[in-house]
Amino acid sequence: KQEVTQIPAALSVPEGENLVLNCSFTDSAIYNLQWFRQDPGKGLTSLLLIQSSQREQTSGRLNASLDKSSGRSTLYIAASQPGDSATYLCAVRHGDYGGSQGNLIFGKGTKLSVKP
Amino acid sequence: NAGVTQTPKFQVLKTGQSMTLQCAQDMNHEYMSWYRQDPGMGLRLIHYSVGAGITDQGEVPNGYNVSRSTTEDFPLRLLSAAPSQTSVYFCASRERNGVSVNTGELFFGEGSRLTVL
């Protein structure tokens, strides 16, 4: 059974710092991996989607990497800002096999606080 | 473009009552799903659908029913509400099979916050 783990559960950094959020998964047979942001009381907003054949994706100050063989992904946030404060979740999707039809399996998230 | 729309945003029920959480998407997505989010448990899949007329169970389906009569709508029914169903419910959708680099992205609604007394 696929398990997704995110460490640390919470992180507090001063504004301007570069930081890395970690995501690990137990089964490397994934179709893609998606990083989300969730603000308090809100839904999930997709940040980056990495297909299994890709090594990384970039969007603005965000860079996500994927190492399937080791079961790891990182989300790098450059020059952090107070507005980056939120919970960040990663989720893996398996291929369309069996009955799962490629459902996402989520980690429990890292709560990030960026202090001015 | 509204994306994924969930109603109601907030609901309070008494134990034993039934209700339906509505979800609609306007992106012509074949795949739709319902998750619940609980503190310390993360997001768990309740039911999903890969197209009109096709539904299947996820990780925590007990106490919930779904149907998919149209591509756009995927309602979640609580048959007899229990306090254990107090949670935040999210509906999400995507194209069924993405073959280009940036497809397959899952889009979420804003959530429905349910309290069962």
Side-chain angles (χ1 to χ4, degrees):
Chain A
K1 178 185 175 183
Q2 176 75 272
E3 292 184 0
V4 180
T5 304
Q6 291 185 248
I7 295 174
L11 180 64
S12 181
V13 300
E15 181 177 5
E17 193 163 295
N18 302 325
L19 60 99
V20 174
L21 305 181
N22 296 296
C23 173
S24 62
F25 45 95
T26 55
D27 186 345
S28 62
I30 65 170
Y31 187 75
N32 60 35
L33 182 146
Q34 198 166 350
W35 282 94
F36 295 88
R37 168 185 174 138
Q38 186 176 28
D39 293 291
K42 299 293 185 181
L44 280 70
T45 300
S46 178
L47 297 174
L48 289 164
L49 171 68
I50 310 178
Q51 304 294 345
S52 62
S53 58
Q54 298 176 314
R55 297 284 293 183
E56 65 178 331
Q57 281 282 344
T58 298
S59 176
R61 294 183 294 108
L62 304 180
N63 177 279
S65 68
L66 174 63
D67 184 342
K68 266 184 56 176
S69 60
S70 68
R72 295 179 187 276
S73 176
T74 61
L75 180 66
Y76 175 83
I77 302 176
S80 59
Q81 303 170 358
D84 295 330
S85 297
T87 297
Y88 292 80
L89 299 108
C90 74
V92 299
R93 175 186 166 188
H94 286 255
D96 289 343
Y97 66 88
S100 71
Q101 295 294 329
N103 296 314
L104 287 192
I105 299 171
F106 283 83
K108 294 181 181 178
T110 294
K111 186 175 182 179
L112 174 66
S113 176
V114 181
K115 299 189 181 304
Chain B
N1 191 342
V4 180
T5 303
Q6 292 184 232
T7 55
K9 289 185 169 26
F10 300 94
Q11 184 70 48
V12 178
L13 291 178
K14 295 181 180 178
T15 297
Q17 287 185 317
S18 62
M19 77 158 299
T20 299
L21 299 177
Q22 301 291 344
C23 176
Q25 52 88 12
D26 61 0
M27 298 173 281
N28 201 30
H29 286 168
E30 290 192 332
Y31 177 94
M32 296 185 73
S33 56
W34 277 101
Y35 287 86
R36 59 177 290 174
Q37 185 176 37
D38 303 289
M41 301 295 293
L43 281 142
R44 293 179 292 170
L45 182 67
I46 304 172
H47 284 285
Y48 66 96
S49 168
V50 297
I54 306 170
T55 64
D56 207 344
Q57 296 180 349
E59 181 184 355
V60 288
N62 292 340
Y64 308 95
N65 270 1
V66 292
S67 60
R68 185 91 181 272
S69 57
T70 67
T71 299
E72 294 77 22
D73 300 298
F74 190 43
L76 179 72
R77 297 182 185 84
L78 280 71
L79 307 173
S80 177
S84 61
Q85 294 179 303
T86 294
S87 186
V88 182
Y89 292 85
F90 289 101
C91 180
S93 74
R94 64 167 160 80
E95 294 177 341
R96 180 178 177 181
N97 281 312
V99 297
S100 63
V101 170
N102 289 318
T103 57
E105 186 177 2
L106 195 65
F107 295 88
F108 278 79
E110 287 288 299
S112 296
R113 285 147 185 83
L114 175 67
T115 300
V116 182
L117 303 176

mmCIF file of all heavy atoms in Angstrom, chain A residues 19 33-37 45-50 54-65 74-81 84 88, chain B residues 102 105:
data_model
loop_
_atom_site.group_PDB
_atom_site.id
_atom_site.type_symbol
_atom_site.label_atom_id
_atom_site.label_comp_id
_atom_site.label_asym_id
_atom_site.label_seq_id
_atom_site.Cartn_x
_atom_site.Cartn_y
_atom_site.Cartn_z
ATOM 1 N N LEU A 19 14.052 27.685 1.332
ATOM 2 C CA LEU A 19 13.692 26.518 2.134
ATOM 3 C C LEU A 19 13.295 25.350 1.247
ATOM 4 O O LEU A 19 12.936 25.512 0.068
ATOM 5 C CB LEU A 19 12.566 26.875 3.112
ATOM 6 C CG LEU A 19 11.265 27.362 2.515
ATOM 7 C CD1 LEU A 19 10.257 26.227 2.448
ATOM 8 C CD2 LEU A 19 10.683 28.523 3.309
ATOM 9 N N LEU A 33 3.308 13.228 -9.621
ATOM 10 C CA LEU A 33 3.289 13.741 -8.258
ATOM 11 C C LEU A 33 2.882 15.198 -8.334
ATOM 12 O O LEU A 33 3.321 15.946 -9.210
ATOM 13 C CB LEU A 33 4.670 13.591 -7.605
ATOM 14 C CG LEU A 33 4.810 14.042 -6.151
ATOM 15 C CD1 LEU A 33 5.803 13.140 -5.408
ATOM 16 C CD2 LEU A 33 5.224 15.484 -6.025
ATOM 17 N N GLN A 34 2.028 15.603 -7.410
ATOM 18 C CA GLN A 34 1.491 16.959 -7.441
ATOM 19 C C GLN A 34 1.711 17.615 -6.084
ATOM 20 O O GLN A 34 1.475 16.989 -5.037
ATOM 21 C CB GLN A 34 -0.009 16.911 -7.783
ATOM 22 C CG GLN A 34 -0.612 18.199 -8.274
ATOM 23 C CD GLN A 34 -1.993 17.991 -8.900
ATOM 24 O OE1 GLN A 34 -2.442 16.869 -9.144
ATOM 25 N NE2 GLN A 34 -2.685 19.088 -9.150
ATOM 26 N N TRP A 35 2.142 18.876 -6.100
ATOM 27 C CA TRP A 35 2.270 19.683 -4.890
ATOM 28 C C TRP A 35 1.110 20.673 -4.840
ATOM 29 O O TRP A 35 0.779 21.310 -5.849
ATOM 30 C CB TRP A 35 3.593 20.445 -4.875
ATOM 31 C CG TRP A 35 4.777 19.617 -4.487
ATOM 32 C CD1 TRP A 35 5.628 18.959 -5.314
ATOM 33 C CD2 TRP A 35 5.239 19.383 -3.151
ATOM 34 N NE1 TRP A 35 6.602 18.317 -4.572
ATOM 35 C CE2 TRP A 35 6.394 18.572 -3.254
ATOM 36 C CE3 TRP A 35 4.821 19.788 -1.882
ATOM 37 C CZ2 TRP A 35 7.117 18.149 -2.131
ATOM 38 C CZ3 TRP A 35 5.533 19.377 -0.777
ATOM 39 C CH2 TRP A 35 6.659 18.561 -0.906
ATOM 40 N N PHE A 36 0.530 20.789 -3.635
ATOM 41 C CA PHE A 36 -0.591 21.692 -3.418
ATOM 42 C C PHE A 36 -0.274 22.655 -2.278
ATOM 43 O O PHE A 36 0.541 22.357 -1.393
ATOM 44 C CB PHE A 36 -1.858 20.918 -3.015
ATOM 45 C CG PHE A 36 -2.410 20.008 -4.061
ATOM 46 C CD1 PHE A 36 -1.960 18.705 -4.162
ATOM 47 C CD2 PHE A 36 -3.397 20.444 -4.918
ATOM 48 C CE1 PHE A 36 -2.483 17.845 -5.116
ATOM 49 C CE2 PHE A 36 -3.933 19.599 -5.875
ATOM 50 C CZ PHE A 36 -3.473 18.298 -5.969
ATOM 51 N N ARG A 37 -0.990 23.761 -2.289
ATOM 52 C CA ARG A 37 -0.966 24.710 -1.180
ATOM 53 C C ARG A 37 -2.376 24.818 -0.632
ATOM 54 O O ARG A 37 -3.355 24.859 -1.402
ATOM 55 C CB ARG A 37 -0.506 26.072 -1.696
ATOM 56 C CG ARG A 37 -0.704 27.202 -0.714
ATOM 57 C CD ARG A 37 -0.350 28.536 -1.297
ATOM 58 N NE ARG A 37 -0.713 29.584 -0.342
ATOM 59 C CZ ARG A 37 0.032 30.639 -0.068
ATOM 60 N NH1 ARG A 37 1.188 30.804 -0.705
ATOM 61 N NH2 ARG A 37 -0.359 31.543 0.803
ATOM 62 N N THR A 45 -4.923 24.387 -3.657
ATOM 63 C CA THR A 45 -4.529 25.011 -4.918
ATOM 64 C C THR A 45 -3.317 24.273 -5.458
ATOM 65 O O THR A 45 -2.317 24.118 -4.755
ATOM 66 C CB THR A 45 -4.174 26.489 -4.700
ATOM 67 O OG1 THR A 45 -5.323 27.179 -4.181
ATOM 68 C CG2 THR A 45 -3.760 27.136 -6.022
ATOM 69 N N SER A 46 -3.406 23.821 -6.702
ATOM 70 C CA SER A 46 -2.295 23.104 -7.311
ATOM 71 C C SER A 46 -1.133 24.054 -7.589
ATOM 72 O O SER A 46 -1.328 25.147 -8.126
ATOM 73 C CB SER A 46 -2.749 22.449 -8.611
ATOM 74 O OG SER A 46 -1.668 21.784 -9.227
ATOM 75 N N LEU A 47 0.068 23.636 -7.189
ATOM 76 C CA LEU A 47 1.268 24.437 -7.424
ATOM 77 C C LEU A 47 2.075 23.907 -8.603
ATOM 78 O O LEU A 47 2.419 24.642 -9.516
ATOM 79 C CB LEU A 47 2.145 24.451 -6.164
ATOM 80 C CG LEU A 47 1.541 25.084 -4.920
ATOM 81 C CD1 LEU A 47 2.468 24.879 -3.730
ATOM 82 C CD2 LEU A 47 1.277 26.561 -5.141
ATOM 83 N N LEU A 48 2.407 22.629 -8.534
ATOM 84 C CA LEU A 48 3.247 22.021 -9.557
ATOM 85 C C LEU A 48 2.845 20.570 -9.727
ATOM 86 O O LEU A 48 2.500 19.888 -8.757
ATOM 87 C CB LEU A 48 4.733 22.094 -9.166
ATOM 88 C CG LEU A 48 5.369 23.487 -9.211
ATOM 89 C CD1 LEU A 48 6.685 23.488 -8.443
ATOM 90 C CD2 LEU A 48 5.583 23.937 -10.647
ATOM 91 N N LEU A 49 2.925 20.108 -10.977
ATOM 92 C CA LEU A 49 2.648 18.712 -11.307
ATOM 93 C C LEU A 49 3.868 18.173 -12.035
ATOM 94 O O LEU A 49 4.326 18.771 -13.019
ATOM 95 C CB LEU A 49 1.416 18.623 -12.209
ATOM 96 C CG LEU A 49 1.095 17.270 -12.838
ATOM 97 C CD1 LEU A 49 0.671 16.281 -11.772
ATOM 98 C CD2 LEU A 49 0.010 17.410 -13.887
ATOM 99 N N ILE A 50 4.427 17.067 -11.533
ATOM 100 C CA ILE A 50 5.589 16.447 -12.171
ATOM 101 C C ILE A 50 5.179 15.077 -12.676
ATOM 102 O O ILE A 50 4.738 14.220 -11.890
ATOM 103 C CB ILE A 50 6.759 16.279 -11.187
ATOM 104 C CG1 ILE A 50 7.054 17.579 -10.450
ATOM 105 C CG2 ILE A 50 8.001 15.805 -11.923
ATOM 106 C CD1 ILE A 50 8.173 17.421 -9.434
ATOM 107 N N GLN A 54 9.592 13.071 -15.701
ATOM 108 C CA GLN A 54 10.289 14.339 -15.506
ATOM 109 C C GLN A 54 11.105 14.315 -14.222
ATOM 110 O O GLN A 54 10.825 13.564 -13.285
ATOM 111 C CB GLN A 54 9.273 15.488 -15.444
ATOM 112 C CG GLN A 54 8.470 15.661 -16.720
ATOM 113 C CD GLN A 54 7.417 16.736 -16.597
ATOM 114 O OE1 GLN A 54 6.686 16.797 -15.606
ATOM 115 N NE2 GLN A 54 7.324 17.605 -17.596
ATOM 116 N N ARG A 55 12.104 15.201 -14.159
ATOM 117 C CA ARG A 55 12.942 15.312 -12.965
ATOM 118 C C ARG A 55 12.556 16.526 -12.125
ATOM 119 O O ARG A 55 12.765 16.530 -10.919
ATOM 120 C CB ARG A 55 14.401 15.435 -13.381
ATOM 121 C CG ARG A 55 14.943 14.235 -14.117
ATOM 122 C CD ARG A 55 15.224 13.093 -13.187
ATOM 123 N NE ARG A 55 16.309 13.351 -12.261
ATOM 124 C CZ ARG A 55 16.771 12.471 -11.390
ATOM 125 N NH1 ARG A 55 16.220 11.278 -11.315
ATOM 126 N NH2 ARG A 55 17.757 12.777 -10.589
ATOM 127 N N GLU A 56 12.042 17.569 -12.792
ATOM 128 C CA GLU A 56 11.675 18.763 -12.036
ATOM 129 C C GLU A 56 10.719 19.633 -12.822
ATOM 130 O O GLU A 56 10.575 19.514 -14.049
ATOM 131 C CB GLU A 56 12.924 19.567 -11.648
ATOM 132 C CG GLU A 56 13.698 20.150 -12.792
ATOM 133 C CD GLU A 56 14.893 20.974 -12.286
ATOM 134 O OE1 GLU A 56 14.831 21.522 -11.174
ATOM 135 O OE2 GLU A 56 15.882 21.067 -13.010
ATOM 136 N N GLN A 57 10.054 20.520 -12.072
ATOM 137 C CA GLN A 57 9.174 21.520 -12.653
ATOM 138 C C GLN A 57 9.379 22.821 -11.878
ATOM 139 O O GLN A 57 9.628 22.805 -10.665
ATOM 140 C CB GLN A 57 7.700 21.099 -12.535
ATOM 141 C CG GLN A 57 7.241 20.087 -13.549
ATOM 142 C CD GLN A 57 6.986 20.700 -14.907
ATOM 143 O OE1 GLN A 57 6.866 21.905 -15.063
ATOM 144 N NE2 GLN A 57 6.914 19.848 -15.918
ATOM 145 N N THR A 58 9.261 23.934 -12.588
ATOM 146 C CA THR A 58 9.489 25.236 -11.973
ATOM 147 C C THR A 58 8.321 26.159 -12.266
ATOM 148 O O THR A 58 7.782 26.149 -13.371
ATOM 149 C CB THR A 58 10.789 25.859 -12.496
ATOM 150 O OG1 THR A 58 11.885 25.005 -12.145
ATOM 151 C CG2 THR A 58 11.016 27.231 -11.893
ATOM 152 N N SER A 59 7.970 26.950 -11.255
ATOM 153 C CA SER A 59 6.970 27.998 -11.440
ATOM 154 C C SER A 59 7.337 29.154 -10.531
ATOM 155 O O SER A 59 7.203 29.064 -9.308
ATOM 156 C CB SER A 59 5.570 27.476 -11.096
ATOM 157 O OG SER A 59 4.609 28.516 -11.191
ATOM 158 N N GLY A 60 7.835 30.222 -11.133
ATOM 159 C CA GLY A 60 8.225 31.390 -10.337
ATOM 160 C C GLY A 60 9.308 31.043 -9.327
ATOM 161 O O GLY A 60 10.371 30.537 -9.683
ATOM 162 N N ARG A 61 9.022 31.273 -8.047
ATOM 163 C CA ARG A 61 10.002 30.996 -6.980
ATOM 164 C C ARG A 61 9.944 29.543 -6.502
ATOM 165 O O ARG A 61 10.662 29.182 -5.569
ATOM 166 C CB ARG A 61 9.746 31.928 -5.801
ATOM 167 C CG ARG A 61 9.988 33.409 -6.088
ATOM 168 C CD ARG A 61 9.774 34.293 -4.847
ATOM 169 N NE ARG A 61 8.382 34.303 -4.420
ATOM 170 C CZ ARG A 61 7.942 33.693 -3.321
ATOM 171 N NH1 ARG A 61 8.776 33.029 -2.525
ATOM 172 N NH2 ARG A 61 6.654 33.753 -3.001
ATOM 173 N N LEU A 62 9.113 28.746 -7.119
ATOM 174 C CA LEU A 62 8.949 27.354 -6.707
ATOM 175 C C LEU A 62 9.648 26.420 -7.684
ATOM 176 O O LEU A 62 9.573 26.614 -8.899
ATOM 177 C CB LEU A 62 7.462 26.990 -6.644
ATOM 178 C CG LEU A 62 6.565 27.843 -5.770
ATOM 179 C CD1 LEU A 62 5.142 27.334 -5.837
ATOM 180 C CD2 LEU A 62 7.047 27.876 -4.337
ATOM 181 N N ASN A 63 10.311 25.406 -7.113
ATOM 182 C CA ASN A 63 10.921 24.366 -7.929
ATOM 183 C C ASN A 63 10.661 23.039 -7.244
ATOM 184 O O ASN A 63 10.996 22.863 -6.063
ATOM 185 C CB ASN A 63 12.418 24.606 -8.093
ATOM 186 C CG ASN A 63 13.094 23.493 -8.876
ATOM 187 O OD1 ASN A 63 13.412 22.447 -8.329
ATOM 188 N ND2 ASN A 63 13.297 23.716 -10.152
ATOM 189 N N ALA A 64 10.059 22.110 -7.982
ATOM 190 C CA ALA A 64 9.809 20.778 -7.429
ATOM 191 C C ALA A 64 10.650 19.769 -8.182
ATOM 192 O O ALA A 64 10.738 19.817 -9.414
ATOM 193 C CB ALA A 64 8.337 20.425 -7.530
ATOM 194 N N SER A 65 11.273 18.870 -7.445
ATOM 195 C CA SER A 65 12.064 17.808 -8.054
ATOM 196 C C SER A 65 11.448 16.458 -7.719
ATOM 197 O O SER A 65 10.721 16.314 -6.730
ATOM 198 C CB SER A 65 13.500 17.868 -7.551
ATOM 199 O OG SER A 65 13.542 17.522 -6.185
ATOM 200 N N THR A 74 11.101 16.988 -3.584
ATOM 201 C CA THR A 74 11.308 18.171 -2.770
ATOM 202 C C THR A 74 10.644 19.368 -3.432
ATOM 203 O O THR A 74 10.579 19.452 -4.655
ATOM 204 C CB THR A 74 12.799 18.474 -2.566
ATOM 205 O OG1 THR A 74 13.406 18.710 -3.842
ATOM 206 C CG2 THR A 74 13.508 17.331 -1.872
ATOM 207 N N LEU A 75 10.154 20.259 -2.618
ATOM 208 C CA LEU A 75 9.634 21.541 -3.076
ATOM 209 C C LEU A 75 10.540 22.618 -2.518
ATOM 210 O O LEU A 75 10.634 22.787 -1.299
ATOM 211 C CB LEU A 75 8.198 21.765 -2.607
ATOM 212 C CG LEU A 75 7.566 23.101 -3.043
ATOM 213 C CD1 LEU A 75 7.398 23.142 -4.559
ATOM 214 C CD2 LEU A 75 6.213 23.312 -2.356
ATOM 215 N N TYR A 76 11.198 23.327 -3.406
ATOM 216 C CA TYR A 76 12.123 24.391 -3.041
ATOM 217 C C TYR A 76 11.415 25.724 -3.212
ATOM 218 O O TYR A 76 10.846 26.003 -4.277
ATOM 219 C CB TYR A 76 13.371 24.303 -3.931
ATOM 220 C CG TYR A 76 14.360 25.413 -3.756
ATOM 221 C CD1 TYR A 76 15.304 25.385 -2.729
ATOM 222 C CD2 TYR A 76 14.381 26.501 -4.630
ATOM 223 C CE1 TYR A 76 16.235 26.407 -2.584
ATOM 224 C CE2 TYR A 76 15.296 27.520 -4.491
ATOM 225 C CZ TYR A 76 16.231 27.475 -3.471
ATOM 226 O OH TYR A 76 17.144 28.476 -3.321
ATOM 227 N N ILE A 77 11.435 26.537 -2.166
ATOM 228 C CA ILE A 77 10.847 27.871 -2.226
ATOM 229 C C ILE A 77 11.967 28.886 -2.032
ATOM 230 O O ILE A 77 12.645 28.889 -0.981
ATOM 231 C CB ILE A 77 9.756 28.076 -1.154
ATOM 232 C CG1 ILE A 77 8.655 27.026 -1.304
ATOM 233 C CG2 ILE A 77 9.153 29.487 -1.256
ATOM 234 C CD1 ILE A 77 7.577 27.086 -0.234
ATOM 235 N N ALA A 78 12.177 29.704 -3.032
ATOM 236 C CA ALA A 78 13.239 30.706 -2.964
ATOM 237 C C ALA A 78 12.718 32.009 -2.365
ATOM 238 O O ALA A 78 11.570 32.395 -2.593
ATOM 239 C CB ALA A 78 13.800 30.959 -4.355
ATOM 240 N N ALA A 79 13.583 32.666 -1.603
ATOM 241 C CA ALA A 79 13.288 34.005 -1.075
ATOM 242 C C ALA A 79 11.893 34.063 -0.459
ATOM 243 O O ALA A 79 11.012 34.808 -0.920
ATOM 244 C CB ALA A 79 13.441 35.049 -2.168
ATOM 245 N N SER A 80 11.682 33.274 0.566
ATOM 246 C CA SER A 80 10.338 33.128 1.147
ATOM 247 C C SER A 80 9.755 34.461 1.618
ATOM 248 O O SER A 80 10.490 35.379 2.035
ATOM 249 C CB SER A 80 10.372 32.131 2.300
ATOM 250 O OG SER A 80 11.270 32.569 3.297
ATOM 251 N N GLN A 81 8.422 34.537 1.545
ATOM 252 C CA GLN A 81 7.677 35.745 1.920
ATOM 253 C C GLN A 81 6.574 35.364 2.907
ATOM 254 O O GLN A 81 6.110 34.231 2.899
ATOM 255 C CB GLN A 81 7.051 36.373 0.672
ATOM 256 C CG GLN A 81 8.047 36.724 -0.418
ATOM 257 C CD GLN A 81 7.352 37.112 -1.710
ATOM 258 O OE1 GLN A 81 6.119 37.090 -1.817
ATOM 259 N NE2 GLN A 81 8.145 37.469 -2.712
ATOM 260 N N ASP A 84 3.743 33.300 1.735
ATOM 261 C CA ASP A 84 3.942 31.869 1.471
ATOM 262 C C ASP A 84 3.453 31.020 2.625
ATOM 263 O O ASP A 84 3.401 29.791 2.509
ATOM 264 C CB ASP A 84 5.428 31.576 1.228
ATOM 265 C CG ASP A 84 5.962 32.228 -0.028
ATOM 266 O OD1 ASP A 84 5.192 32.405 -0.987
ATOM 267 O OD2 ASP A 84 7.168 32.575 -0.043
ATOM 268 N N TYR A 88 1.507 22.958 2.925
ATOM 269 C CA TYR A 88 1.885 22.419 1.623
ATOM 270 C C TYR A 88 1.729 20.899 1.658
ATOM 271 O O TYR A 88 2.266 20.235 2.543
ATOM 272 C CB TYR A 88 3.317 22.812 1.278
ATOM 273 C CG TYR A 88 3.442 24.300 1.025
ATOM 274 C CD1 TYR A 88 3.530 25.192 2.093
ATOM 275 C CD2 TYR A 88 3.424 24.807 -0.262
ATOM 276 C CE1 TYR A 88 3.608 26.560 1.875
ATOM 277 C CE2 TYR A 88 3.506 26.175 -0.490
ATOM 278 C CZ TYR A 88 3.586 27.042 0.587
ATOM 279 O OH TYR A 88 3.663 28.400 0.357
ATOM 280 N N ASN B 102 1.320 18.705 -19.184
ATOM 281 C CA ASN B 102 0.684 19.461 -18.109
ATOM 282 C C ASN B 102 -0.758 19.073 -17.861
ATOM 283 O O ASN B 102 -1.508 19.817 -17.258
ATOM 284 C CB ASN B 102 0.761 20.960 -18.405
ATOM 285 C CG ASN B 102 2.176 21.466 -18.249
ATOM 286 O OD1 ASN B 102 2.854 21.079 -17.312
ATOM 287 N ND2 ASN B 102 2.616 22.295 -19.158
ATOM 288 N N GLU B 105 -3.782 17.291 -13.963
ATOM 289 C CA GLU B 105 -3.797 18.100 -12.748
ATOM 290 C C GLU B 105 -5.164 18.005 -12.082
ATOM 291 O O GLU B 105 -6.195 18.076 -12.742
ATOM 292 C CB GLU B 105 -3.496 19.548 -13.118
ATOM 293 C CG GLU B 105 -3.331 20.485 -11.954
ATOM 294 C CD GLU B 105 -2.954 21.884 -12.430
ATOM 295 O OE1 GLU B 105 -2.865 22.084 -13.648
ATOM 296 O OE2 GLU B 105 -2.767 22.753 -11.569
#
